[in-house]
């Protein structure tokens, strides 16, 4: 390798490179979600009341509040774990989002019953991917408050899941059979 190439590689800060990869993956997910929100089908059914809407908005955005906390120095190894969780979670969420396609929604609404791809084994793979990514993000802000925020966000997501399942079950008779053969979030656990 020439001296110029070696000098260029020596100037790359691995933590900065990891940060750029995390941010790029997050931006890709947000852009894809926005595109699917813009081209989605009209809902056939919606959840009633204010609580399901509150749970949808809080479940979507509350966890991101950890970025308002002071970032903590976590070192290279924990940065790699953070990156792995974020990229793996975002990748899985994008995979789920692509399978949802025009049926994607933030609110508990039904457009069609998706049971292929990651939905063949997990009823809410998008939330599983988002949760893994959020845990990875939280590692960068590691503190009791950061973990409390994530715990509250996950609790709200569980309420959101129930709201969505109620809408789907009320519209699609085959949902009960699908529900019986698939895990809610993690196969073999929940």
């Amino acid at each position: 390798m020439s001296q110029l190439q070696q000098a260029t590689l020596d100037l790359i800060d691995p933590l900065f490179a990891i940060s750029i990869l995390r941010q790029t993956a997050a931006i890709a997910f947000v852009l894809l979600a926005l595109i699917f929100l813009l081209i989605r089908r009209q809902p056939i059914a919606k959840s009633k009341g204010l609580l399901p809407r509150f749970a949808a908005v809080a479940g979507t955005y509350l966890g991101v509040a950890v970025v308002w906390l002071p970032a903590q120095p976590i070192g290279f190894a924990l940065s790699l774990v953070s990156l792995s969780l974020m990229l793996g979670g975002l990748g899985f969420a994008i995979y789920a989002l692509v399978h949802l396609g025009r049926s994607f929604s933030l609110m508990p609404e039904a457009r069609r019953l998706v049971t292929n791809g990651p939905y063949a084994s997990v009823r809410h793979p998008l939330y599983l991917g988002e949760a893994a990514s959020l845990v990875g993000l939280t590692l960068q802000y590691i503190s009791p408050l950061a973990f409390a925020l994530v715990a509250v966000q996950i609790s709200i997501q569980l309420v959101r899941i129930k709201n969505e399942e109620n809408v789907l079950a009320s519209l699609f008779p085959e949902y009960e059979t699908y529900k019986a053969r698939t895990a809610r979030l993690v196969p073999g656990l929940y």
Side-chain angles (χ1 to χ4, degrees), residues 54-56 58-60 62 151-161:
F54 170 78
T60 300
L62 180 64
V152 169
Q153 189 270 345
I154 289 172
S155 298
I156 292 171
Q157 277 297 64
L158 294 175
V159 171
R160 184 180 185 190
I161 285 170

Side-chain angles (χ1 to χ4, degrees), residues 49-130:
L50 188 59
L51 183 60
R53 283 155 184 69
F54 170 78
V57 171
T60 300
Y61 299 111
L62 180 64
V64 181
V66 299
V67 300
W68 292 337
L69 300 173
Q72 301 298 316
I74 58 173
F76 186 73
L78 202 50
S79 286
L80 280 179
V81 171
S82 171
L83 176 65
S84 297
L85 284 168
M86 288 185 70
L87 290 180
L90 284 170
F92 192 65
I94 289 169
Y95 175 56
L97 190 57
V98 167
H99 277 275
L100 270 179
R102 295 183 58 212
S103 296
F104 174 66
S105 179
L106 294 179
M107 297 296 156
E109 302 170 337
R111 287 169 172 75
R112 70 183 173 101
L113 184 59
V114 178
T115 60
N116 61 341
Y119 291 87
S121 55
V122 178
R123 294 194 304 270
H124 302 279
L126 181 57
Y127 298 153
L128 177 60
E130 288 175 347

